[in-house]
Amino acid sequence: MASKKLITVFGATGAQGGAVVRALLQNQSFAVRAVTRNLDGNGARELKKLKAEVVKGDTDDKDGVKKVLSGAFGCFLVTNFLEHFDMNREIQQGKNVADACKAAGIKHLVFSGLDNTEGSGAAGPVHHFDGKAKIEDYIEQIGISYTSTRVSFYNENFLNFNPSTEDGRK
Ligand code: NAP
């Protein structure tokens, strides 16, 4: 049997990328290369148990991301604004991966995007949306085949971000 097409998944130890890795492995049509900055972490260990190829990569590292995309058919990218709250850094991280996808000849990129709120009448800038919209514009501009998803507010946020009511009960 021909070897399976390879999908490189960024954010593989997290909520979105982790779900993508699990779904792809369950489907059995693709091989998965899971990217993390910490090969010794619990997240990496769990992914290895699932039989993903786990590799070190950092979206801040322009040259490094080229290596993790080498030989891949497709890519899933989620950028994590919530780690640094810096829109320009998030945009650069997205561009680094988009450029590497282009250079590696990736056939399709799935990007976890959000809508551009500029000019929408939103009360102020919504940086975690607008940065992703700018990454999407860049992907379009450099001519990669892509799908941009729109993930809504997670149900898990009620547990993770604001676990307590005013009187301290969950
Ligand atoms: P998460 O569960 O917190 O996990 C973050 C993932 O990003 C980890 O796998 C981490 O990998 C990876 N990562 C972070 N910085 C990286 C870097 N420089 N290079 C490589 N990997 C990096 O995150 P998530 O919830 O899946 O995704 C967060 C994004 O979702 C945010 O941008 C947020 O705006 C967006 N979003 C959130 C919601 C919501 O309701 N929370 C809704 C829509 C969109 P390692 O630590 O293993 O390296």
Side-chain angles (χ1 to χ4, degrees):
M1 198 180 95
S3 61
K4 291 179 183 175
K5 288 174 178 164
L6 176 68
I7 311 293
T8 294
V9 178
F10 288 88
T13 59
Q16 292 191 38
V20 170
V21 169
R22 283 164 180 77
L24 285 170
L25 289 174
Q26 233 167 27
N27 175 279
Q28 297 186 358
S29 301
F30 297 94
V32 174
R33 181 179 287 159
V35 182
T36 176
R37 291 163 297 176
N38 180 10
L39 287 175
D40 300 322
N42 290 338
R45 271 196 285 275
E46 276 180 35
L47 294 169
K48 280 178 204 159
K49 275 191 214 151
L50 295 173
K51 307 282 182 231
E53 175 193 0
V54 184
V55 298
K56 192 173 169 104
D58 186 330
T59 54
D60 284 317
D61 174 8
K62 220 173 167 31
D63 290 326
V65 289
K66 287 185 188 150
K67 288 189 198 133
V68 302
L69 284 159
S70 162
F73 171 84
C75 174
F76 173 81
L77 170 64
V78 56
T79 47
N80 191 10
F81 175 87
L82 301 175
E83 185 167 298
H84 47 65
F85 296 90
D86 178 342
M87 183 177 75
N88 290 327
R89 182 168 168 193
E90 182 176 35
I91 293 170
Q92 190 57 55
Q93 290 174 328
K95 286 182 170 179
N96 289 346
V97 176
D99 285 339
C101 283
K102 177 93 177 170
I106 294 294
K107 298 286 182 270
H108 198 78
L109 165 65
V110 176
F111 172 58
S112 180
L114 286 172
D115 289 313
N116 195 341
T117 69
E118 286 171 1
S120 68
V126 189
H127 289 140
H128 61 292
F129 274 60
D130 299 343
K132 292 180 180 65
K134 289 188 166 72
I135 295 169
E136 187 175 322
D137 289 347
Y138 185 74
I139 293 168
E140 176 96 32
Q141 186 195 317
I142 64 172
I144 302 172
S145 167
Y146 78 100
T147 301
S148 183
T149 61
R150 298 286 186 271
V151 175
S152 67
F153 186 86
Y154 310 165
N155 284 337
E156 287 84 351
N157 292 343
F158 291 112
L159 299 170
N160 300 335
F161 285 178
N162 185 19
S164 304
T165 55
E166 274 182 17
D167 64 3
R169 287 178 302 152
K170 285 197 176 177

